[in-house]
Amino acid sequence: MPPKNPHHEGNNNIELDQSEKEIKIQPEDLNIIWGEDNRYWNIKPGKAELLQVCWLEVTGSVRCIDPKKSYRVSFNVSFMTDAFGWGVHPLYLMLKAGKDGKVEWKKIEIKEANESVNITGDSKAQTDSTGDSRLYFGLYEVWSGKWKGGLEIHHVIVKEVQ
């Protein structure tokens, strides 16, 4: 029987330590659409394994960003030997500073599904009208409607950049 809520809800209270200027976010702390349904995802400490989905949406946020700084978000992922559905349709990395901030999209072309990849994008944080000090980010492939699987998410790094 599928769970009542098929989506995995991560930790929405992650804060960036201003003295360290970098944080490593584990896969279990991310929001993963269909993540609580074991037909689609296998999520355990330190790894989220995509079995199969036609709607890839993995998101998260970090609190306490400085609106005058820039940040880099990197998804560290790899593909299993039986990965499928990749290489035809691009992935998209989304970054947004504050709830009302400007959304920035980066198109990511995956050439072969047998490689380890860091999917990286930069964002210039700016204070939005709500005063929200979060950096929101996500990894998406929701437009093609094609099935894909065999992706492993190892962690996400959010880092202040000069």
Side-chain angles (χ1 to χ4, degrees):
M1 172 188 294
K4 288 182 182 179
N5 180 1
H7 309 306
H8 177 80
E9 295 182 20
N11 181 355
N12 292 316
N13 293 312
I14 297 172
E15 289 189 24
L16 181 64
D17 182 345
Q18 294 299 318
S19 64
E20 295 293 322
K21 302 182 192 264
E22 179 177 307
I23 189 165
K24 183 177 185 178
I25 301 168
Q26 296 300 321
E28 60 269 23
D29 291 329
L30 299 170
N31 303 311
I32 302 175
I33 299 300
W34 300 111
E36 288 298 320
D37 191 323
N38 61 11
R39 296 174 294 175
Y40 304 116
W41 285 91
N42 180 10
I43 301 172
K44 49 190 166 192
K47 184 166 62 170
E49 178 184 322
L50 170 61
L51 304 175
Q52 61 175 357
V53 294
C54 63
W55 184 283
L56 177 69
E57 182 176 338
V58 179
T59 63
S61 66
V62 174
R63 295 186 316 149
C64 298
I65 60 168
D66 184 333
K68 297 179 180 108
K69 305 276 174 105
S70 295
Y71 295 89
R72 175 167 295 138
V73 175
S74 296
F75 277 79
N76 180 262
V77 303
S78 61
F79 294 92
M80 300 167 56
T81 55
D82 60 351
F84 63 94
W86 307 101
V88 177
H89 303 286
L91 292 170
Y92 288 88
L93 177 67
M94 181 277 299
L95 301 164
K96 179 174 74 161
K99 197 141 191 93
D100 289 342
K102 180 183 174 202
V103 177
E104 301 173 46
W105 292 96
K106 182 176 181 184
K107 183 178 180 179
I108 311 294
E109 299 285 350
I110 302 294
K111 305 272 189 264
E112 295 182 41
N114 60 1
E115 56 187 74
S116 287
V117 180
N118 278 315
I119 298 172
T120 303
D122 296 339
S123 176
K124 173 68 175 142
Q126 296 176 353
T127 304
D128 69 6
S129 63
T130 66
D132 184 6
S133 67
R134 285 184 189 270
L135 179 66
Y136 297 88
F137 55 87
L139 188 61
Y140 298 85
E141 200 295 291
V142 300
W143 298 277
S144 74
K146 302 296 182 191
W147 288 91
K148 56 205 117 319
L151 175 76
E152 291 182 327
I153 300 173
H154 302 286
H155 59 266
V156 175
I157 300 287
V158 177
K159 180 178 183 178
E160 180 184 312
V161 293
Q162 303 302 341

